[in-house]
Amino acid sequence: MTKDVPTISPDQPLTGDESIKQDKLQRMGLASASVAALQRVSTTTGFVLSIEGPWGSGKTSTLSMMEQLIRAGDSNRSIIVHFNPWLVGDRDSLVRQFLGAIASAIELTDHAGNAKKVAKEIQNYVRVFDFVKWVPGAEPWASIVKGVMESAGKAAGGVADQKERDIEGQKERLEKALRKFDRKIFVFIDDIDRLFPLEVFEMVRIVKAVGQLPNIGYIVAWDSEYIRRALKSAAVPRASTYIDKIVQVRLPLPAISTNSRLKLLNDAIVSLPEEALASHFPKQDERLQSLYFHGLRELLEQPRDITRVINTLAVIEPGLRGEIVLADILGLACLMVRAPRVYGELRRNPSLFTRTFKGVMPGDDDERKNHRERLERIYARTQNPDAVRELVHFLFPSTAKAGNKFALGGQVDVQGHIAAPSRLNIALSMAIGATDVSIVDAKRYILEPTRREVVEAKLSVENGLGFLEMLGEVADTLTTGEVGDLEGLCLAIARLVDKAPISPSDMQRQFFVIPVETLAVKAISRLVASCAPSQAKVIAYKVTTDADSLTVASEILTDGLQSAHEPGAIICDKSKQKMAGRKLAENSRAALKGSIFWGRANPARILWTIMRAAPSSAKSVFAEVKKGNPNLDEFALAFLRHGFSSNGGRSYALPDDPAVRNFVSVATLIKHAKKRLSDPDVGYPLRAAWRSVVDEKALYGKDGSDARM
């Protein structure tokens, strides 16, 4: 059954009778040693043992394993008490709640007379207990229990006016009752390191005060470093050694072995939906393996780190599936959880992580140095700077000092690496936006003919050119025979160029360095080279003679007229070039008759190709142009395009090419230009176009100024 919904781990510790069986961290040895140490609990003294480790390292799970061993070892004779001070919420109630929990557990577990006697003495002890008396050097501190003495009247015999010896007597009576009690009591105290410093201090005082009561063993779980800092902030003298006065045996959790950590991570990855683990990119498994050894292993220090990162991955992965390689989604999730400052900076300033330095401009070295120092300051604010730096270098190779085998370039975009700005934009948005280019859609367009119309419907002016470029990049990852309808696919790409919205308007087109038809031809060439090189000339002829592919047909025919061609260029067989040229002219006349010609992506390219590749058919095409547009204005704006400048904009000029005569004589065109200029309604840029014919020089369309100045 396919897993469509990601599993979000509740991040719960091991509990119940299955704790030992479910142990994946090899903590059984520690749990057994801890339980053996608890044998020191006797009728003469109590015992305090601490399980110590960082937050999320598995302390609670270890306590659960210890409880299971205790229950299994004494036929349930021991009484188990659970106390979580974090749930009390009232610092002044800690002592009452703590001792009350022990009394309640005894009453619920054992209804015999001795048990009831112990529970009663504990309750009396609660009412008269002034903790300050039992904490050496505690005189400067106020009593931990507010209102203890006010409630003392409720104690057996009334103790509101009792002296210190009476309080000592109450403690002795409790100890006597505990010595006669034939069952050991084990109190598990967890989550102390979740408390505020003053609450930590109060809880430590409680353990200090009651730790020597006979027949009671205390097992506390905490992060000793946090406890030390909390005691220090509470002005406890010699905070670093204070814990040693309270705890008889301190057992740090062993570090998670590399194998255990890797198993936890692998198990978590496997819990993802099957589609998330499917093959979306070449060498994606190798990249995932490399990620583990480039910072991820060190950042996933504790079991909870793994759980939190994988939970984050499970949430963001569906929106990025097939667009970003899984390794990079995991790396991004790790930054979110383990290095939020770095992730925040990445969101605010993506270019800081993707910028490259060529080292050829003055000042580049200084700028590169400043750039790296800025990154180093960000790393320094994380918990593990070295690991974070290595992870960032893996995800964004340009941030590394020297060459890196994961360097940006080549197939990085189509492989789903977030170092590619187009992929990073998607990753940070958590989904494909209206202007983003989808690798998933590019693959569907190539491999699933029935989905092509659906994909085309998603395209826009903003992402159309990027989509054509992506088709070419995906093509490089394919193998021979992988595309079932290569000819149909190449025709679909060629036709796409002349369809809205990819077919750009004049304003949109002028800013693009690479024409849309050039990108389409490159994509077709790369597809043919990857899937069926022997079909290149056949497909070239099919495209050049296709009535719906006029612009791309012109590009291929123009390339074929050159004496030298780029390796892998798709061109017509020389024996068929003239035939293809005539067919282009025929198809163009049909488009002119149908009033769709001027809506093609590049009418100028089509006309220029016809006058060179089909000279005998050019005049008939020009006649059709004039028939549909007697003033030739559309012809002038398309055919007379000369260049584009960032300062002056589009310029116009009559081509200095004898092949123009294949369309019309220059004299006739000049005569017509003068006639159009005499019309006061002719404005710019059309006036500049016609003026360039008369003046025989290039002029800017915005105002008719000289484009050569």
Side-chain angles (χ1 to χ4, degrees):
M1 180 176 172
T2 301
K3 298 176 290 182
D4 295 322
V5 181
T7 301
I8 305 298
S9 171
D11 190 21
Q12 294 297 319
L14 303 180
T15 57
D17 295 336
E18 296 295 313
S19 299
I20 294 175
K21 183 178 180 180
Q22 296 173 357
D23 175 34
K24 297 180 180 180
L25 301 178
Q26 302 177 7
R27 298 279 170 77
M28 180 61 179
L30 176 69
S32 298
S34 302
V35 171
L38 290 175
Q39 296 304 313
R40 300 185 188 186
V41 176
S42 67
T43 57
T44 60
T45 185
F47 185 72
V48 181
L49 178 146
S50 63
I51 301 295
E52 302 180 358
W55 183 78
S57 58
K59 298 186 295 295
T60 303
S61 295
T62 302
L63 295 190
S64 182
M65 295 170 64
M66 290 175 61
E67 179 179 347
Q68 187 179 346
L69 288 172
I70 290 171
R71 293 188 184 282
D74 64 0
S75 301
N76 292 325
R77 284 292 301 160
S78 298
I79 294 176
I80 304 295
V81 182
H82 294 279
F83 183 70
N84 191 320
W86 189 59
L87 301 177
V88 174
D90 181 3
R91 190 179 74 195
D92 291 341
S93 299
L94 278 173
V95 62
R96 300 178 187 280
Q97 295 286 348
F98 178 70
L99 291 175
I102 298 175
S104 297
I106 293 172
E107 286 185 307
L108 291 173
T109 308
D110 194 333
H111 302 290
N114 284 344
K116 292 181 179 180
K117 174 65 174 175
V118 170
K120 179 181 178 181
E121 294 298 344
I122 291 176
Q123 291 166 353
N124 286 338
Y125 193 44
V126 170
R127 296 183 181 117
V128 302
F129 186 54
D130 182 351
F131 270 118
V132 178
K133 302 295 182 182
W134 313 114
V135 182
E139 290 78 13
W141 300 314
S143 173
I144 190 173
V145 183
K146 182 180 180 181
V148 165
M149 301 311 295
E150 287 82 346
S151 64
K154 299 177 182 177
V159 294
D161 58 350
Q162 290 292 326
K163 306 289 186 181
E164 182 176 338
R165 60 180 178 274
D166 298 315
I167 300 174
E168 287 280 5
Q170 181 60 58
K171 180 173 181 288
E172 290 173 0
R173 287 191 291 274
L174 172 58
E175 290 175 343
K176 183 177 180 180
L178 284 169
R179 289 191 189 99
K180 292 182 179 180
F181 192 45
D182 61 352
R183 300 179 67 175
K184 292 182 179 181
I185 303 166
F186 294 106
V187 183
F188 288 86
I189 310 171
D190 201 0
D191 288 337
I192 297 179
D193 47 14
R194 289 192 182 191
L195 302 175
F196 290 111
L198 288 178
E199 294 172 325
V200 169
F201 170 55
E202 301 292 0
M203 193 63 228
V204 169
R205 290 176 65 191
I206 290 174
V207 175
K208 168 68 175 175
V210 301
Q212 297 303 315
L213 290 175
N215 258 343
I216 303 181
Y218 303 89
I219 304 96
V220 296
W222 56 28
D223 179 346
S224 59
E225 178 58 24
Y226 176 78
I227 300 301
R228 184 193 66 78
R229 294 197 305 268
L231 293 176
K232 185 176 181 180
S233 68
V236 176
R238 296 179 294 280
S240 298
T241 59
Y242 193 77
I243 296 176
D244 295 326
K245 297 178 180 180
I246 300 169
V247 182
Q248 281 74 56
V249 174
R250 299 176 61 182
L251 293 175
L253 284 176
I256 304 174
S257 69
T258 300
N259 289 338
S260 296
R261 184 165 21 180
L262 188 57
K263 187 178 187 310
L264 282 178
L265 182 58
N266 281 332
D267 289 348
I269 292 290
V270 169
S271 72
L272 295 172
E274 292 177 5
E275 185 58 28
L277 303 176
S279 179
H280 298 288
F281 298 95
K283 299 182 178 180
Q284 64 179 31
D285 291 342
E286 290 90 333
R287 185 163 177 83
L288 192 60
Q289 293 165 5
S290 295
L291 173 71
Y292 180 73
F293 295 103
H294 286 82
L296 187 70
R297 174 177 55 181
E298 291 76 18
L299 287 172
L300 301 185
E301 298 177 273
Q302 307 299 341
R304 183 163 293 155
D305 296 333
I306 295 175
T307 299
R308 293 171 65 215
V309 169
I310 295 300
N311 281 350
T312 302
L313 172 68
V315 171
I316 67 176
E317 183 276 332
L320 303 177
R321 187 176 298 164
E323 305 295 344
I324 311 295
V325 68
L326 182 61
D328 288 32
I329 305 176
L330 176 56
L332 193 68
C334 189
L335 290 178
M336 290 180 184
V337 174
R338 299 291 290 131
R341 292 183 184 276
V342 175
Y343 178 72
E345 190 65 31
L346 178 62
R347 284 187 61 85
R348 289 188 294 271
N349 188 10
S351 63
L352 182 65
F353 295 82
T354 58
R355 183 177 179 183
T356 57
F357 293 88
K358 302 299 183 181
V360 296
M361 298 296 292
D364 264 7
D365 289 340
D366 290 340
E367 194 169 354
R368 182 189 291 108
K369 180 181 177 182
N370 293 335
H371 181 262
R372 287 175 182 155
E373 288 177 350
R374 181 176 176 184
L375 286 170
E376 287 298 326
R377 288 193 294 271
I378 298 172
Y379 303 149
R381 299 174 71 187
T382 64
Q383 292 183 342
N384 192 334
D386 291 339
V388 171
R389 181 189 302 105
E390 189 166 2
L391 177 59
V392 171
H393 286 180
F394 177 84
L395 296 174
F396 303 99
S398 64
T399 60
K401 288 184 178 180
N404 188 301
K405 66 179 179 179
F406 305 107
L408 184 63
Q411 294 295 308
V412 68
D413 195 309
V414 75
Q415 287 180 1
H417 297 178
I418 62 173
S422 68
R423 297 302 96 192
L424 181 57
N425 181 64
I426 293 170
L428 295 178
S429 300
M430 304 297 177
I432 284 284
T435 62
D436 293 318
V437 179
S438 169
I439 294 177
V440 173
D441 283 344
K443 290 179 178 178
R444 285 174 177 164
Y445 196 82
I446 290 173
L447 300 173
E448 303 177 43
T450 58
R451 303 287 293 274
R452 284 174 192 155
E453 287 188 6
V454 175
V455 173
E456 288 181 9
K458 298 180 182 179
L459 299 179
S460 65
V461 173
E462 289 81 6
N463 66 15
L465 294 184
F467 178 75
L468 288 171
E469 188 172 16
M470 183 63 72
L471 290 177
E473 294 184 4
V474 172
D476 291 342
T477 68
L478 303 176
T479 57
T480 302
E482 193 169 351
V483 178
D485 68 330
L486 182 60
E487 184 178 303
L489 172 60
C490 292
L491 283 172
I493 295 172
R495 292 168 180 170
L496 195 58
V497 170
D498 281 335
K499 288 182 181 179
I502 289 213
S503 177
S505 70
D506 179 73
M507 184 60 69
Q508 294 154 345
R509 181 181 180 82
Q510 62 192 9
F511 293 103
F512 296 129
V513 176
I514 302 178
V516 61
E517 60 270 21
T518 301
L519 290 174
V521 171
K522 283 183 178 293
I524 292 171
S525 300
R526 292 160 83 172
L527 281 164
V528 172
S530 295
C531 301
S534 62
Q535 298 296 309
K537 291 184 178 180
V538 173
I539 290 176
Y541 184 74
K542 286 283 186 179
V543 174
T544 54
T545 57
D546 182 60
D548 296 319
S549 307
L550 298 183
T551 301
V552 172
S554 301
E555 180 83 359
I556 294 174
L557 280 171
T558 298
D559 289 345
L561 296 176
Q562 308 299 319
S563 57
H565 308 103
E566 293 183 7
I570 182 167
I571 58 174
C572 283
D573 188 278
K574 286 187 177 181
S575 63
K576 293 185 176 182
Q577 282 184 353
K578 290 184 179 180
M579 188 184 304
R582 290 194 293 269
K583 187 64 177 176
L584 175 64
E586 178 185 330
N587 290 336
S588 297
R589 286 196 298 270
L592 285 163
K593 289 179 181 179
S595 301
I596 59 174
F597 180 82
W598 302 110
R600 303 303 83 182
N602 195 345
R605 164 70 69 151
I606 300 170
L607 293 174
W608 279 54
T609 302
I610 290 172
M611 79 180 190
R612 292 189 178 109
S616 61
S617 302
K619 280 187 168 55
S620 64
V621 172
F622 185 78
E624 198 63 52
V625 168
K626 192 168 185 178
K627 181 178 179 181
N629 182 220
N631 57 24
L632 296 179
D633 287 346
E634 287 180 306
F635 172 81
L637 290 174
F639 189 72
L640 299 177
R641 283 185 179 184
H642 178 68
F644 181 82
S645 166
S646 59
N647 294 324
R650 172 69 64 192
S651 62
Y652 297 86
L654 181 65
D656 185 15
D657 190 329
V660 173
R661 298 172 190 156
N662 295 331
F663 274 125
V664 61
S665 71
V666 174
T668 300
L669 197 60
I670 291 174
K671 182 179 180 180
H672 182 84
K674 290 179 178 179
K675 181 179 179 181
R676 293 300 295 136
L677 290 171
S678 66
D679 185 346
D681 292 332
V682 173
Y684 295 101
L686 182 58
R687 178 167 290 276
W690 285 123
R691 173 59 64 186
S692 71
V693 174
V694 175
D695 293 352
E696 297 183 359
K697 62 181 180 181
L699 302 175
Y700 284 122
K702 64 176 183 178
D703 56 9
S705 59
D706 194 334
R708 297 173 299 180
M709 297 178 63

